[in-house]
């Protein structure tokens, strides 16, 4: 009997860790160094999973560069917020921003994630036409996983992970942005979507 409980607990630990690591709230980030001010809908597919997931991201820029994201994939709901700040380099084309976030995924178990990294990309094209911005977004993330053991006790595990996103923004005129991205790490995740750019900048006072 005791051996059975140990085996079940170990299996649950493996299942919770692998499943939640694939459902981090910000994968893929779709976060170029200058994401702009828009609202978008994205289709997401974790590697090795047949079902598609979805995410909605709203971003604003100005004196406060903020994004809010909600999503659903593999029976997991997720919610998170992101902040970014451009890093001036004094060069043409090359763009860099620092990016931080806070969010969680939920489905019985809960995984809180705090990512911190940079987004680096090169801008091509001219305003009003097609503009392309390929980028890389490496980051480290603190993961806190909380779930219940078979005997009812709550277990909390903490881990630090490194991941990198590779993606591109294609701006089609002033109104729309096509985004593609992939998170490469412990759990590869791919996605694409379309965002509508606001015609005027919002100012938070």
């Amino acid at each position: 009997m005791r051996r059975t409980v140990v085996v079940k607990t170990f299996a649950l630990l493996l299942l919770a860790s692998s499943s939640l690591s694939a459902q981090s709230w910000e994968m893929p980030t779709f976060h170029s160094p200058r994401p702009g001010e828009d609202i978008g809908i994205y289709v997401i597919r974790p590697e090795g999973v047949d079902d598609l997931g979805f995410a909605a991201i709203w971003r604003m820029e100005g004196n406060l560069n903020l994004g809010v994201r909600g999503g659903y994939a593999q029976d997991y709901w997720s919610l998170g917020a992101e902040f970014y700040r451009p890093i001036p380099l004094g060069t043409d084309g090359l763009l860099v921003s620092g990016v931080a976030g806070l969010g969680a995924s939920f489905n019985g178990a809960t995984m809180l994630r705090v990512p911190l990294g940079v987004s680096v990309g090169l801008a091509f094209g001219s305003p009003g036409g097609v503009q392309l911005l390929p980028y890389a977004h490496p980051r480290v993330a603190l993961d806190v996983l909380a779930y219940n053991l078979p005997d009812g006790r709550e277990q909390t595990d903490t881990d630090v992970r490194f991941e990198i996103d590779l993606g591109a923004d294609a701006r089609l005129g002033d109104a729309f942005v096509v985004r593609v991205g992939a998170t490469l790490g412990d759990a590869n995740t791919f996605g694409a979507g379309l965002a509508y750019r606001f015609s005027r900048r919002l100012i938070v006072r």
Side-chain angles (χ1 to χ4, degrees):
M1 181 66 178
R2 186 173 182 180
R3 179 180 299 178
T4 301
V5 172
V6 172
V7 171
K8 288 183 177 179
T9 301
F10 182 69
L12 182 62
L13 289 173
L14 291 178
L15 179 62
S17 177
S18 61
S19 180
L20 279 176
S21 67
Q23 292 307 315
S24 300
W25 66 271
E26 90 296 15
M27 294 170 58
T29 63
F30 302 109
H31 206 300
S32 72
R34 300 293 189 275
E37 188 166 289
D38 55 42
I39 185 168
I41 301 294
Y42 305 89
V43 177
I44 297 169
R45 183 172 182 177
E47 186 177 41
V49 176
D50 293 331
D51 295 334
L52 296 176
F54 302 91
I57 304 175
W58 169 75
R59 291 185 174 123
M60 58 178 291
E61 63 179 2
N63 56 336
L64 178 63
N65 300 309
L66 168 69
V68 178
R69 172 173 178 153
Y72 175 82
Q74 277 186 279
D75 296 327
Y76 287 89
W77 294 96
S78 62
L79 182 65
E82 58 187 25
F83 307 88
Y84 78 95
R85 178 171 293 276
I87 300 174
L89 298 178
T91 60
D92 294 331
L94 182 63
L95 304 174
V96 180
S97 287
V99 185
L102 173 65
S105 300
F106 311 92
N107 181 11
T110 299
M111 188 179 76
L112 175 71
R113 164 169 282 211
V114 183
L116 180 64
V118 295
S119 182
V120 182
L122 285 170
F124 302 94
S126 58
V130 177
Q131 302 175 67
L132 184 64
L133 179 52
Y135 65 90
H137 181 192
R139 62 196 181 281
V140 294
L142 172 65
D143 289 344
V144 180
L145 174 64
Y147 55 96
N148 291 324
L149 296 172
D151 60 5
R153 291 179 300 147
E154 184 176 79
Q155 177 75 23
T156 301
D157 295 332
T158 303
D159 196 8
V160 176
R161 300 178 185 271
F162 174 81
E163 291 161 344
I164 183 170
D165 269 40
L166 300 178
D169 289 3
R171 297 187 178 182
L172 310 178
D174 295 327
F176 295 99
V177 183
V178 175
R179 291 194 170 104
V180 295
T183 299
L184 307 178
D186 292 335
N188 298 333
T189 308
F190 310 91
L194 180 68
Y196 173 76
R197 292 176 58 82
F198 300 116
S199 59
R200 64 183 182 89
R201 177 174 294 181
L202 300 177
I203 302 296
V204 176
R205 299 186 185 279

